[in-house]
Each structure stands twice: as structure tokens, then as C-alpha cells.
Amino acid sequence: MSSSADYVWDKTVEYSSRWNILIVILMMTMIIIGSIGYFLMLQSVFGKVDFSIFTFLGKCLIIYIFSVLLHEMGHLLMARQLAYPFRIFKAGCMEAYNNTFRNFRLRPFQLLSGGFVMLNFNEVITSREKLNRFFEKDFFYISFGGIFANLFSVLIGILLLFHPITVEIGYLFFFYNFLILLAQFIHPSDFTKFRFIQKNPMQAAGVFSEELVVNKRVNSFLENLFHSYIGDTLSNKAIDSHTLAIIQRVIEYNGKNKQVNSKEIQQFIPWFIANFDSISTMQLRNRIPAERLLYTIIECNLVKHTELKNYKISRYANKHPLHSYYLKLKKY
């Protein structure tokens, strides 16, 4: 990026991709070693066994699905204990919406798609006092709820190893829950997102920014929080991928509600257009929010087409990654 640019890319808030690669390599190594260990364990306990790869994969699939379900239930139960309603609950092929399990859905083709819990912050974070409580206490318990569930599952797996009838289930249960715990060191995950916000309090607005996507109106406290974040960040002339994502959501939100964009955003857009080439050649985690922001700027007619040159935007930039889930929400 040009040294004469008005804004600089803040690399101090970025997470090391090398660390992610290292953890992935470690996990792949453990999967290979764990699979061999599973076969050796069966031989040591039962002697000669007829090993079937299809039976093995079937058992792995069941344990994996159950482990993901426990992880997401850990988040959900902790959130409910702290009075945070959920919008979306997803664990593999299982889904529920709008803080109720009455319309529980199964989508078999998404067995291996992981899971997430999206909370309804708009109804809870309505004042500075509640915001402080969330980051001082609630954020930790909700983020680590899934981790606590998997830690408990690892201990259960170890206990099941001591009986021949349950040794096979115990081994797989221990192994998959341990892998999920190891995956917490890959960004973004529950652990790394929590650590990221602890180190970068200014990025707190990012935790709630999905509210701008799924609500026609957010409460006045959150609305002011987002505007303050953008105002402070752009005034300091330091941006990152989180800044681009939140600006994009604020522009969309303002467009839905026929509100004028702030002076800071209006000043930022020409610079962003002029420097899009250099931003779009950066790492994928930066290029995706940059393309989405550019698409939103074009869609909201905030720039003349003559200023866009021949920028190529991915055909996926116009859709939120969770769009198919958001369609089931009442206020989306």
C-alpha cells in the first residue's frame, strides 16, 4: 500500500497464519496417528479383529456429530443461564431458530458442516453497564461453554477406556473431543476470538456487528457503539479487515433505514476505491471483506462507475455467508 495513503493497514490486530498452519499440520498428524492407534488398541484388547473401514468411518461420523453437538450445547446452555436468547443454533445437520426448539430441523446433507450459536445481543446489550458485564464476565463463560463441554467429554472418554465394552467408544470420544479442543487454537475460534478481543478492546464492536445484518433496526446503544467504533478507528487512520466488515454492515444498515453515512465513512470511501487494488492483493481474510465492502458501495450508489475502473468482484461478494440461515429469522 502506498506510503502516501491517508489510512494505514493495522497489522498489530492480525492473527498469525503460520500458527494456523502449524495447528492444522499437528491435527492431521494426530488423525493419522490416532487411526493407527485405534487399530492397535483393538488388537491389544480383543486380539485378532476383523477390521472394516466402513464400520470405522461410520463410528467416527457418529462420535464426531455427537461431539459437535455437545460443544454447541455447551455454548447454548451457558448463554441461557446468563439470559441471552439465541437466534440460530446449528450443530451439524441439526438446526433451531428464534430461541425455541419447537421447530427443530434436520438437514442430513450438512452432517459434516460444523456448528455455531448466534445470540440475540440486540435484546440484551442496551446500556454501557450491560456491555461492561458482558466483556467482564459473560463473554468468557459463553465463549468457553463449548470448550468446557469438550473437556468434560475428554474426561468421560478416558473413563470409558477402562472397560472392554466401552473402550472403543471411549477412545473415539476422547480422540475427537481432543481434536476439537486443539482446533480452538485456529483463528477464528472461540478461544482465539476471546483472546483477540481481550488484547484489542477496540474491536469489541465486531462481536455485535451481525446485529446490523439481521435487524431492520438495532437498539440505540448498539447503533451508537458502531458509529463510535468507526469514528474512532477512521480518525486514527488505522484500518484492518474488521474495520472493512463493520463499515460494510453499517452502510447496508444505513441504506435500509434511509440514514446518511457519517462524515468519516464518506471521507473513507474515495480512499478505499483508490486503494482497492492494493487491498485486494492482500491475504484472503482481508480480500473477502474488501470485496464485500466494494459491492455494497456499488449497490448503494455511493460511487460513480467511472471511478471503479475494471475491478473484478467475486460473485459471492453480494451474499452473506450465512444468508441461507438468516432467511429463517423473523427480522431479517
Side-chain angles (χ1 to χ4, degrees):
M1 205 173 290
S2 170
S3 59
S4 62
D6 293 329
Y7 301 87
V8 296
W9 197 264
D10 185 3
K11 295 185 178 181
T12 62
V13 301
E14 292 189 352
Y15 199 84
S16 172
S17 57
R18 293 180 182 177
W19 177 255
N20 280 359
I21 293 170
L22 179 63
I23 296 296
V24 169
I25 292 173
L26 179 59
M27 290 178 67
M28 295 299 294
T29 304
M30 284 193 62
I31 289 172
I32 295 170
I33 295 173
S35 300
I36 296 171
Y38 172 81
F39 182 72
L40 296 176
M41 180 270 297
L42 291 181
Q43 279 194 322
S44 66
V45 175
F46 301 107
K48 189 176 180 180
V49 293
D50 295 325
F51 181 77
S52 168
I53 186 65
F54 296 106
T55 303
F56 171 66
L57 292 176
K59 290 175 181 176
C60 288
L61 179 62
I62 293 170
I63 297 295
Y64 166 77
I65 293 170
F66 193 59
S67 299
V68 171
L69 176 62
L70 286 174
H71 179 87
E72 301 306 335
M73 285 301 297
H75 288 307
L76 186 63
L77 291 174
M78 196 62 72
R80 287 200 157 188
Q81 183 68 26
L82 297 168
Y84 288 83
F86 75 87
R87 280 204 174 90
I88 305 173
F89 171 84
K90 183 185 183 310
C93 62
M94 294 162 276
E95 296 175 5
Y97 295 86
N98 296 311
N99 206 39
T100 178
F101 283 89
R102 291 175 187 169
N103 298 318
F104 192 76
R105 296 184 179 95
L106 290 175
R107 300 175 73 177
F109 293 107
Q110 296 196 7
L111 278 173
L112 300 175
S113 59
F116 65 92
V117 178
M118 181 181 182
L119 301 179
N120 186 344
F121 292 116
N122 193 48
E123 292 184 10
V124 183
I125 309 298
T126 56
S127 66
R128 176 61 60 179
E129 180 185 3
K130 292 179 179 179
L131 178 70
N132 292 339
R133 190 197 76 177
F134 177 78
F135 284 111
E136 289 171 4
K137 183 184 72 169
D138 297 353
F139 189 33
F140 171 81
Y141 288 115
I142 294 171
S143 296
F144 280 73
I147 297 174
F148 294 151
N150 293 124
L151 278 171
F152 182 73
S153 299
V154 164
L155 295 176
I156 294 296
I158 292 173
L159 293 176
L160 293 175
L161 290 172
F162 292 96
H163 197 287
I165 295 176
T166 58
V167 64
E168 190 176 0
I169 295 174
Y171 182 90
L172 293 174
F173 207 52
F174 165 82
F175 183 72
Y176 275 99
N177 280 278
F178 187 79
L179 280 179
I180 291 175
L181 290 174
L182 193 58
Q184 294 304 310
F185 293 96
I186 300 175
H187 189 70
S189 66
D190 301 320
F191 174 73
T192 60
K193 283 190 287 188
F194 174 80
R195 291 289 298 140
F196 177 81
I197 296 298
Q198 291 291 303
K199 290 181 179 179
N200 305 279
M202 275 289 291
Q203 303 294 332
V207 176
F208 311 114
S209 61
E210 289 298 307
E211 297 296 328
L212 294 165
V213 180
V214 298
N215 283 294
K216 292 179 181 175
R217 295 293 299 189
V218 299
N219 67 65
S220 57
F221 176 78
L222 282 181
E223 192 172 286
N224 290 332
L225 180 70
F226 297 129
H227 289 304
S228 296
Y229 167 81
I230 290 175
D232 293 343
T233 302
L234 296 184
S235 297
N236 292 331
K237 303 297 184 182
I239 63 168
D240 54 65
S241 58
H242 304 277
T243 307
L244 300 183
I246 294 177
I247 289 175
Q248 180 245 324
R249 290 164 188 168
V250 167
I251 290 174
E252 279 189 343
Y253 179 80
N254 289 343
K256 282 190 296 186
N257 293 287
K258 296 181 172 55
Q259 296 178 175
V260 179
N261 291 310
S262 66
K263 177 182 67 177
E264 289 83 7
I265 291 178
Q266 292 177 25
Q267 291 174 343
F268 174 74
I269 289 174
W271 176 87
F272 174 74
I273 296 296
N275 289 270
F276 180 78
D277 275 335
S278 56
I279 296 174
S280 63
T281 58
M282 300 174 77
Q283 295 180 2
L284 186 64
R285 63 172 176 241
N286 301 324
R287 188 164 70 247
I288 290 174
E291 288 195 352
R292 287 188 182 138
L293 175 56
L294 183 62
Y295 181 90
T296 300
I297 290 171
I298 295 170
E299 191 178 44
C300 295
N301 297 314
L302 298 179
V303 64
K304 295 178 181 177
H305 288 281
T306 53
E307 296 179 47
L308 294 173
K309 304 177 185 176
N310 295 313
Y311 292 143
K312 291 182 180 179
I313 309 175
S314 166
R315 59 194 176 95
Y316 301 108
N318 66 327
K319 274 200 175 175
H320 192 281
L322 300 179
H323 176 72
S324 61
Y325 299 102
Y326 288 173
L327 287 173
K328 300 177 180 69
L329 298 178
K330 293 174 182 176
K331 297 180 180 180
Y332 179 61

